Amino acid sequence: MDLPAHEARRLAAAAAGTAPGAAPAPLDAARQEAYDRLAARRLDGEPLQYLEGTAAFGPVEVAVDARALIPRPETEGLWELAVAALGEAGPGTTIVDLGTGTGALAFALEHAFGEARVIGVDDDEAALSLAAENAARLGSNVELVHGDLFSALDERLMGRLDLVVSNPPYVAEAEWASLPPDVREHEPRHALVAGPAGTEVLERIAEEAYWWLAVGGHLLCEIGETQGAAMERAFGAFDRHIRTDLAGRDRYLVARKGAPCCV
Ligand SMILES: C[S@@+](CC[C@H](N)C(=O)[O-])C[C@H]1O[C@@H](n2cnc3c(N)ncnc32)[C@H](O)[C@@H]1O
């Protein structure tokens, strides 16, 4: 079986050490061998981005490997919505990315809001080590913290967050088997599967975020396409709505903390 031509071109660029869009250069014997090895791994189902070693995400490019999920185009949509929601940010602004993975979303937010403090949280040490490598590569000041959702944060941030974003795991255990094999066999299951229902991590974010956000603070999460109605209920303490992707599927929860509700 042959690779599609565009993938073959990208792997040839990776083997030659040139940018993916660059004019193809003839491969010498060593690079041909490197290309053959990459092509064999691709034909075996390994994701193209892991073989290339990088992925573009909005204004940044991050290194990717099996330690973390490959950033997806729909999460660039979450980044765009978050930038539009926050609008502007000064030195006192605090932004948190829960489940940061490669750090792509946190770095892209830092790019948009250069004066803000940006914190990326992940409970997976391996993912966080990749995010730290990416921070060094990008010269980023994003703070990377290991831990479980909001409990990883300094308690002094409670009630002070201006923007919380998250692309959390939202796949149900029973859905795992139906995901494409290149995802199942190569990307971390923990990054995708939340539990029996799929909404478990989102529901925890809904419960805890109210206490961490400042009044007027924004909360944006990527959600599964069947989860819109459940998430509108789960985030009932917020002014909130569900946004769709270009195909009209429910994909984003966009919420804002209004005046104190329950005191
Ligand atoms: C869907 S991936 C998203 C990664 C990255 N934000 C992106 O969009 O490409 C979810 C991430 O959440 C992390 N995660 C899962 N459960 C978590 C928890 N309870 N606390 C913190 N991070 C968690 C996983 O390790 C994984 O890196």
Side-chain angles (χ1 to χ4, degrees):
M1 194 170 72
D2 285 336
L3 288 176
H6 73 282
E7 293 202 4
R9 264 197 308 278
R10 282 172 59 171
L11 290 183
T18 55
L27 298 176
D28 61 20
R31 286 177 171 156
Q32 182 64 48
E33 208 177 294
Y35 170 82
D36 291 343
R37 275 199 302 273
L38 291 174
R41 286 167 62 187
R42 180 69 192 125
L43 288 169
D44 209 28
E46 205 164 326
L48 191 58
Q49 293 91 335
Y50 283 164
L51 298 172
E52 292 182 306
T54 56
F57 184 87
V60 299
E61 183 186 80
V62 288
V64 291
D65 63 31
R67 285 176 286 175
L69 191 90
I70 298 163
R72 303 293 205 267
E74 47 270 42
T75 311
E76 291 178 305
L78 180 68
W79 170 71
E80 283 174 7
L81 289 172
V83 170
L86 188 59
E88 55 186 33
T93 303
T94 305
I95 298 172
V96 172
D97 174 22
L98 295 174
T100 200
T102 58
L105 191 48
F107 301 132
L109 286 165
E110 179 186 48
H111 188 276
F113 302 113
E115 291 191 294
R117 176 182 184 191
V118 183
I119 304 170
V121 173
D122 210 290
D123 67 349
D124 180 341
E125 297 266 21
L128 217 51
S129 69
L130 177 58
E133 287 165 24
N134 276 320
R137 159 196 172 101
L138 293 168
S140 163
N141 291 316
V142 167
E143 298 166 41
L144 296 165
V145 190
H146 178 251
D148 178 24
L149 299 181
F150 290 100
S151 68
L153 300 175
D154 183 333
E155 278 185 7
R156 285 171 295 187
L157 287 173
M158 201 172 258
R160 293 177 187 274
L161 303 182
D162 300 290
L163 170 65
V164 174
V165 293
S166 186
N167 171 24
Y170 53 74
V171 173
E173 275 164 9
E175 288 171 337
W176 175 250
S178 64
L179 296 185
D182 52 345
V183 174
R184 259 186 296 122
E185 288 165 22
H186 297 278
E187 295 195 84
R189 188 179 194 276
H190 174 71
L192 291 159
V193 176
T199 48
E200 288 83 349
V201 180
L202 282 160
E203 280 164 5
R204 286 188 50 213
I205 293 172
E207 278 166 27
E208 296 169 31
Y210 197 85
W211 309 109
W212 287 89
L213 279 170
V215 173
H218 301 270
L219 168 62
L220 289 93
C221 296
E222 191 171 316
I223 63 171
E225 62 183 85
T226 61
Q227 296 170 344
M231 289 305 103
E232 263 205 285
R233 285 193 299 277
F235 287 83
F238 299 85
D239 301 330
R240 79 277 177 209
H241 59 277
I242 302 296
R243 291 286 300 261
T244 55
D245 62 15
L246 291 174
R249 292 178 292 233
D250 289 349
R251 290 315 306 264
Y252 310 106
L253 176 279
V254 178
R256 188 162 196 196
K257 176 173 167 176
C261 77
C262 328
V263 283

